[in-house]
Amino acid sequence: GAVVSQHPSRVICKSGTSVKIECRSLDFQATTMFWYRQFPKKSLMLMATSNEGSKATYEQGVEKDKFLINHASLTLSTLTVTSAHPEDSSFYICSARETRDSRQYFGPGTRLTVL
Amino acid sequence: AQKVTQAQTEISVVEKEDVTLDCVYETRDTTYYLFWYKQPPSGELVFLIRRNSFDEQNEISGRYSWNFQKSTSSFNFTITASQVVDSAVYFCALSEVETSGSRLTFGEGTQLTVNP
C-alpha cells in the first residue's frame, strides 16, 4: 500500500522558535496533501489543503501566517509553525491523496511540544 | 455542510464480547465516501474500510463487519469476539466528492477499551 512519512516524529522546542514538519509520499505522487491537528482525546481537525504548485487553502480560523505550508513537489509538503507558543503544542498529522484515487493515506504524525 | 456524529465517547467491554460502534452522518451530496480508521495509542491512523455512497452492501473482514444504511444515514462498525489488541480510538469519517473536494470530516471518535 501507499506509504506516507512524516519527519520529525517528535519535536520539543522553546517558545518563539519556528518548527518545520515534512510530509512525504514515498511510493506515489500526491497532487494534494492535507494537514490535520489533533488535541489530546479529540478528533482530527483539518487545518489546510495543500496543492502542488499553488497556495494552500486554509480552513476557517487557521492563521495562514502562523502555519506556513509549502507543497513544492508531488511528493513533499511542509508545515512550518512560526513563532511557536505552548498552545501550538499538538499532534500534527498529514495525509496525501494519490492522483488517481480519492483515498487519503496518512502519515504517522508529529508530536509538537512547545515549552 | 458535512457532519459525522459518533455518539459513543467511550465503550468498555470484556474480551470475546461483540461490540458495535455507531456512526451517523449528514451530507447534501449524492456522491460521497465513508471511512473507518483505528488510532492506537501510538497515534498512527490505521485505515479499516472505505465505502462509496452507491454501495450499500454490508462488508465483513475477519472479525470486523460494517453495516451501511443510507435510509438512516448510518455506517456502523461491529467487532466480533473482541480482543485486547482492539483497544484504540476509532474514527468514522466522511468525504464529500461534489461539494468539499474530497476533504475528510471526522467524527469525535469512540474510545474502545477491551479488558481481559
Side-chain angles (χ1 to χ4, degrees):
Chain A
V3 178
V4 175
S5 70
Q6 272 185 250
H7 178 79
S9 58
R10 194 178 291 267
V11 57
I12 300 173
C13 68
K14 291 183 179 179
S15 188
T17 61
S18 294
V19 175
K20 180 187 282 189
I21 302 170
E22 292 187 349
C23 177
R24 291 181 186 273
S25 56
L26 298 184
D27 50 3
F28 66 98
Q29 293 186 333
T31 53
T32 304
M33 290 185 172
F34 302 86
W35 287 96
Y36 297 84
R37 181 175 183 176
Q38 186 181 29
F39 290 107
K41 297 189 183 297
K42 295 293 185 182
S43 186
L44 282 78
M45 299 299 295
L46 180 64
M47 298 174 65
T49 302
S50 167
N51 292 298
E52 186 264 338
S54 64
K55 289 184 179 180
T57 302
Y58 290 82
E59 295 299 303
Q60 195 170 6
V62 177
E63 298 176 59
K64 59 181 68 175
D65 294 332
K66 180 163 189 62
F67 298 100
L68 301 179
I69 292 172
N70 183 279
H71 191 163
S73 78
L74 286 172
T75 60
L76 173 65
S77 177
T78 60
L79 167 68
T80 301
V81 183
T82 62
S83 187
H85 288 95
E87 57 265 31
D88 298 324
S89 298
S90 190
F91 191 54
Y92 293 88
I93 306 174
C94 75
S95 71
R97 186 169 69 201
E98 192 172 10
T99 303
R100 302 168 299 169
D101 189 2
S102 63
R103 181 180 153 185
Q104 293 182 31
Y105 297 88
F106 285 85
T110 296
R111 196 164 300 280
L112 170 64
T113 303
V114 184
L115 304 176
Chain B
Q2 56 187 24
K3 183 180 178 182
V4 177
T5 301
Q6 293 179 255
Q8 304 148 308
T9 307
E10 295 182 20
I11 299 177
S12 182
V13 299
V14 177
E15 210 170 14
K16 297 184 183 177
E17 284 185 25
D18 298 347
V19 58
T20 296
L21 310 182
D22 298 333
C23 173
V24 175
Y25 63 93
E26 295 177 29
T27 178
R28 288 176 292 188
D29 277 17
T30 55
T31 306
Y32 52 90
Y33 290 95
L34 293 164
F35 300 80
W36 275 96
Y37 290 91
K38 174 182 180 180
Q39 188 177 42
S42 64
E44 185 163 359
L45 282 175
V46 177
F47 168 83
L48 296 178
I49 190 172
R50 178 179 71 170
R51 169 70 71 224
N52 76 58
S53 51
F54 298 107
D55 182 3
E56 283 194 74
Q57 276 195 333
N58 292 330
E59 181 155 340
I60 298 175
S61 176
R63 296 184 297 108
Y64 296 168
S65 62
W66 291 269
N67 185 323
F68 176 28
Q69 296 202 355
K70 287 179 78 170
S71 60
T72 56
S73 297
S74 65
F75 187 43
N76 297 337
F77 172 34
T78 298
I79 301 175
T80 303
S82 60
Q83 300 176 0
V84 173
V85 293
D86 295 327
S87 298
V89 180
Y90 290 85
F91 289 99
C92 180
L94 167 68
S95 174
E96 292 176 330
V97 175
E98 297 158 17
T99 59
S100 300
S102 298
R103 286 157 56 232
L104 273 176
T105 296
F106 286 85
E108 290 300 310
T110 297
Q111 170 71 60
L112 173 65
T113 301
V114 181
N115 299 298

